[in-house]
Amino acid sequence: MDALLLSRWQFAITTIYHFLFVPVTLGLSIFVALLETCYVRTKRPAWKATSRKLVRFFGTLFLVNFSMGVVTGIVQEFHFGMNWSEYARFMGDIFGAPLALEALTAFFLESTFLGIWIFGWGRLSEKAHCACIWIVAFASNLSAFWILVANSFMQHPVGFAVRNGRAEMTDFAALVTNPYVIGEYAHTLFSAIATAGFLVVAVSAWKVLHDAASRRAFTQTCKAGALFLLFGLFAAMGSGHLHAQYLAQVNPMKVSSFEALWETADPAPFAIVADINEQSHENNVEVTIPGAFSFMLYNKPSGAVPGINAIQSEYEAAYGPGDYRPDVKGLFWSFRFMIGIGGLLVLLGLITAYLGWKDRLMDFPLLLKALPWLLPLPFLANTVGWYIAEAGRQPWIVFGLQKTSEAVSPNLTSADVYLTMIGFTVLYLVLAVAAVYTAMRYIRKTEVPYEEGRNA
């Protein structure tokens, strides 16, 4: 494999590692903030004592995850200079601005108030301490916003001019208000809430089943986590639907590739399954729902959707000879895998919420046993979602401006990438195992009894 392909693999591996932790940071910070708000506002002494312990319990899990997110995220920034120097040269004027703002306005704010929150127990008033975790939650999600501002430019460039072979920013407001940011950020945020919600449900289910002393407390968080999960899932579905409709206007190749729609159709069908032939640019066999794809994009069972082959011809006329089709088969099945996981999580959330509110969780021990084992599901959905977002713009690294093949560092060798990729992968694996072991040990050893009348 050449340096280009290896660099793509290395960045993908690093990003997947990093993105295992980012959604939990975004969503769990909000859940912990909500839980501490309940602690501050409740007038019931027994629940006040218990909720404080729950805040510290889930807050500790948040800290383990946060530390891993920071460690894995730092390496990504070095990739731009080491593996993708031509991209950094071409895009540095634009890409650097939101990254700098992410550090100045979000990460410093997040890390500072997280430190105050950690060491502020018993030193700050309850309201001041609660305000700290809300600031952490706000800063965490602000950090994601700035990163997605940069990513959205790569997907849909705005507010720039190309001068002397470099893309230069001409309108910062256009960069920040890029319509692509709205859909991408909303879908990321709500998916993160769903991920954190299922994490809370899975951990609570284990505690309900195996920790009799903590059963009453974690029954409450199991119900709350299920509601948090369902809110995130339904909001993610809605925002994803609206974003897909927007993508149909600005990146029709990506949307048509989701459905392996090779030829323009009106109305366009939704393919449930398909045997995709990327060599002949057609589907050998497919099972479709007539008009459903048009309905998804236009809210009516009619409307022309351009096919991949027609868009390929348009791109050749606009950008010159070349293959502008992405990995159609990968996008097609990844999209269905993501949707399938989302549907399963909705079912699990509804069942858990119903049984929790009926106080019947212990009547279904198989469900409580299964939920922790199903914890990888939202992480798998997040990973394929990232793949869909990034692979869908290929062969471009910056859509319409720079191809991925043009962005790799010119003096990079395969041996350089092999060495660092193996090193990072092994190191990340060791860190991930250590983090999971630490979190699991803490979950097993920490009891949260429902303490009547106590306030500590």
Side-chain angles (χ1 to χ4, degrees):
M1 290 188 286
D2 61 14
L4 170 62
L5 184 57
L6 285 170
S7 293
R8 293 180 66 184
W9 269 105
Q10 185 181 43
F11 194 82
I13 292 170
T14 304
T15 302
I16 288 170
Y17 267 116
H18 181 56
F19 207 63
L20 292 175
F21 304 101
V22 169
V24 178
T25 297
L26 302 182
L28 195 57
S29 62
I30 297 173
F31 184 83
V32 173
L34 289 169
L35 189 56
E36 185 161 1
T37 302
C38 292
Y39 159 70
V40 171
R41 295 183 62 85
T42 186
K43 302 300 182 182
R44 296 179 293 161
W47 175 239
K48 191 172 186 70
T50 304
S51 60
R52 172 169 171 153
K53 291 181 179 295
L54 288 170
V55 169
R56 302 194 73 155
F57 178 88
F58 286 105
T60 301
L61 298 182
F62 169 76
L63 292 173
V64 172
N65 179 85
F66 177 81
S67 62
M68 285 297 298
V70 172
V71 170
T72 55
I74 289 173
V75 175
Q76 283 189 294
E77 297 187 7
F78 288 97
H79 283 317
F80 298 124
M82 295 167 60
N83 296 62
W84 304 99
S85 62
E86 285 301 302
Y87 167 78
R89 182 196 63 79
F90 179 73
M91 269 283 294
D93 183 67
I94 298 173
F95 197 75
L99 288 186
L101 285 168
E102 187 266 337
L104 293 172
T105 67
F107 182 72
F108 289 160
L109 186 68
E110 179 183 25
S111 55
T112 298
F113 279 91
L114 185 58
I116 296 173
W117 185 79
I118 293 170
F119 298 105
W121 287 102
R123 295 178 175 87
L124 299 174
S125 68
E126 291 180 352
K127 291 182 179 179
H129 192 267
C130 183
C132 288
I133 193 62
W134 274 112
I135 293 173
V136 170
F138 168 77
S140 297
N141 287 277
L142 180 62
S143 176
F145 171 78
W146 288 120
I147 296 299
L148 292 178
V149 166
N151 183 266
S152 293
F153 181 89
M154 297 166 68
Q155 306 278 357
H156 179 56
V158 294
F160 73 98
V162 177
R163 302 189 182 103
N164 301 317
R166 297 178 68 249
E168 298 180 1
M169 186 190 308
T170 59
D171 189 346
F172 178 73
L175 186 71
V176 175
T177 59
N178 185 347
Y180 202 101
V181 178
I182 299 172
E184 191 170 48
Y185 179 73
H187 196 59
T188 301
L189 171 61
F190 294 131
S191 298
I193 289 174
T195 303
F198 195 71
L199 173 67
V200 171
V201 168
V203 171
S204 299
W206 192 92
K207 296 294 283 185
V208 168
L209 186 63
H210 295 94
D211 186 353
S214 305
R215 183 167 297 151
R216 187 173 177 185
F218 283 98
T219 297
Q220 300 301 317
T221 57
C222 197
K223 293 188 292 186
L227 294 177
F228 201 63
L229 164 68
L230 290 170
F231 169 77
L233 287 171
F234 288 125
M237 290 176 181
S239 61
H241 171 67
L242 294 175
H243 191 53
Q245 292 182 328
Y246 169 73
L247 284 178
Q249 307 302 317
V250 299
N251 194 340
M253 178 68 85
K254 180 186 288 190
V255 175
S256 294
S257 297
F258 291 169
E259 299 305 319
L261 184 71
W262 295 99
E263 303 298 335
T264 302
D266 184 5
F270 176 87
I272 301 173
V273 294
D275 178 17
I276 300 168
N277 190 328
E278 293 188 275
Q279 284 68 46
S280 60
H281 312 306
E282 62 181 359
N283 297 334
N284 297 329
V285 179
E286 59 183 11
V287 178
T288 65
I289 302 175
F293 191 29
S294 291
F295 187 82
M296 289 169 59
L297 298 181
Y298 303 113
N299 298 323
K300 58 181 182 179
S302 62
V305 180
I308 297 170
N309 294 328
I311 301 170
Q312 165 68 18
S313 299
E314 292 178 11
Y315 285 2
E316 284 182 341
Y319 304 117
D323 188 358
Y324 298 94
R325 305 175 186 92
D327 177 15
V328 176
K329 185 178 293 185
L331 290 171
F332 179 88
W333 289 111
S334 293
F335 185 72
R336 278 144 188 79
F337 185 70
M338 181 180 67
I339 297 301
I341 290 178
L344 179 57
L345 291 176
V346 168
L347 179 62
L348 292 170
L350 290 172
I351 293 172
T352 304
Y354 175 79
L355 294 177
W357 286 102
K358 290 293 185 179
D359 199 22
R360 295 187 59 196
L361 285 172
M362 286 300 296
D363 295 340
F364 294 86
L366 287 178
L367 175 65
L368 297 176
K369 289 179 181 179
L371 286 171
W373 289 103
L374 295 174
L375 184 55
L377 287 178
F379 296 93
L380 291 173
N382 292 333
T383 299
V384 296
W386 168 81
Y387 172 79
I388 290 168
E390 302 308 303
R393 71 162 183 266
Q394 295 299 320
W396 303 102
I397 192 168
V398 184
F399 188 84
L401 298 180
Q402 186 182 44
K403 292 183 178 179
T404 306
S405 58
E406 300 167 348
V408 71
S409 300
N411 298 321
L412 196 65
T413 67
S414 299
D416 295 332
V417 188
Y418 262 125
L419 181 63
T420 54
M421 182 167 64
I422 292 171
F424 283 137
T425 302
V426 172
L427 178 61
Y428 280 174
L429 181 60
V430 171
L431 289 173
V433 170
V436 171
Y437 172 79
T438 301
M440 291 178 65
R441 189 172 186 274
Y442 179 79
I443 292 168
R444 289 193 182 101
K445 298 292 185 181
T446 306
E447 292 184 349
V448 183
Y450 196 86
E451 301 186 40
E452 299 288 348
R454 293 181 60 187
N455 292 310

